C-alpha cells in the first residue's frame, strides 16, 4: 500500500535525522518528498504535527502546494473552515487558495521548528481522545525557496531568525467509521499570541 510505504520511508528518515525539526539530518528536500500525504492510525499526535510542519516548510514538494494539500487531508472540516475564514472547508483547491491564517503563514517556508510533548485527554462518549501540544517556529524565507512552485510559493518578508512564534495544536483521534477512523486529525491550529488576545479573562472571573 502506498500510504504504508510512504509512512515507512518517513519513519526511517526521521530516525536518521533525530528530533529538532526538519532542518536536521538528511536533505530536507528528500524528507519532504517522503512525508505521508494522508492520515494513518499508527501516527501519534506529535508525529502528525512534525509531518505537517515539515510539509509546509517545503510546500512545493513533491508538487505545487503539497504541504497545504496535506494539511487539508489531516484537518477536521471545522478546522479547515477556521483556517480559511470559512471559505475552504470542503474543497482542497479552495483550501489552498484561502488558507492564509496567521498560523498557516507562520509555518509556510519556515526555517526551523520544534514540537513539544503532547498533553493527552481521554476520549468521552461524545468525542475521541484529544492531544494538545505546542510547536515553536522560526522565520521563513521571503522567496519561498528556489524550487518551490505554485500560487503559495511566495510569502511575506523574512522574519528575524531569533524570533520564534508559538503555535497551539489540538488533535482529535477520529472515531467515526471511515478511512480516518483511529487517526489523529487537527481540530485546532492557532498562534498562541492570538489565542491569548481573544480569550478574554482566562482565569474565569467576570466583570460587570
Amino acid at each position: 500500500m502506498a500510504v504504508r510505504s510512504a509512512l515507512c520511508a518517513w519513519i526511517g528518515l526521521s530516525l536518521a535525522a533525530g528530533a529538532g525539526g526538519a532542518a536536521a539530518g538528511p536533505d530536507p528536500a528528500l524528507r519532504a518528498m517522503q512525508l505521508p500525504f494522508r492520515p494513518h492510525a499508527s501516527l501519534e499526535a506529535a508525529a502528525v504535527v512534525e509531518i505537517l510542519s515539515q510539509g509546509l516548510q517545503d510546500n512545493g514538494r513533491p508538487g505545487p502546494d503539497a504541504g497545504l494539500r496535506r494539511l487539508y487531508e489531516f484537518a477536521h472540516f471545522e478546522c479547515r473552515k477556521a483556517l480559511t475564514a470559512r471559505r475552504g472547508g470542503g474543497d482542497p483547491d479552495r483550501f489552498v487558495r484561502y488558507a492564509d491564517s496567521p498560523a498557516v503563514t507562520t509555518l509556510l517556508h519556515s526555517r526551523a521548528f520544534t514540537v513539544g510533548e503532547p498533553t493527552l485527554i481521554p476520549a468521552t462518549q461524545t468525542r475521541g481522545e484529544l492531544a494538545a501540544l505546542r510547536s515553536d517556529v522560526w522565520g521563513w524565507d521571503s522567496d519561498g525557496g528556489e524550487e518551490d512552485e505554485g500560487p503559495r510559493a511566495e510569502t511575506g518578508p523574512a522574519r528575524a531568525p531569533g524570533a520564534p512564534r508559538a503555535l497551539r495544536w489540538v488533535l482529535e483521534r477520529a472515531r467515526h467509521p471511515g478511512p480516518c477512523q483511529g487517526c489523529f486529525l487537527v481540530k485546532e491550529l492557532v498562534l498562541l499570541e492570538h489565542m491569548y488576545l481573544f480569550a478574554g479573562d482566562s482565569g474565569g472571573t467576570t466583570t460587570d
Side-chain angles (χ1 to χ4, degrees), residues 82-83 100-108 133-138 140 159 163-170 188-199:
L83 295 176
D100 57 0
S101 75
V104 173
T105 56
T106 293
L107 288 162
L108 276 170
L133 62 160
R134 166 179 171 153
S135 69
D136 290 284
V137 184
W138 281 260
W140 57 74
R159 293 246 306 279
R165 298 184 91 175
L167 299 178
R168 170 183 162 87
W169 301 73
V170 177
E188 177 183 310
L189 172 56
V190 295
L191 282 175
L192 274 178
E193 61 197 72
H194 285 193
M195 186 182 74
Y196 295 147
L197 179 63
F198 295 109

Side-chain angles (χ1 to χ4, degrees), residues 30-45:
L30 176 60
R31 288 168 60 81
M33 296 286 287
Q34 298 289 354
L35 294 173
F37 194 76
R38 289 183 173 83
H40 194 279
S42 66
L43 293 171
E44 294 300 328

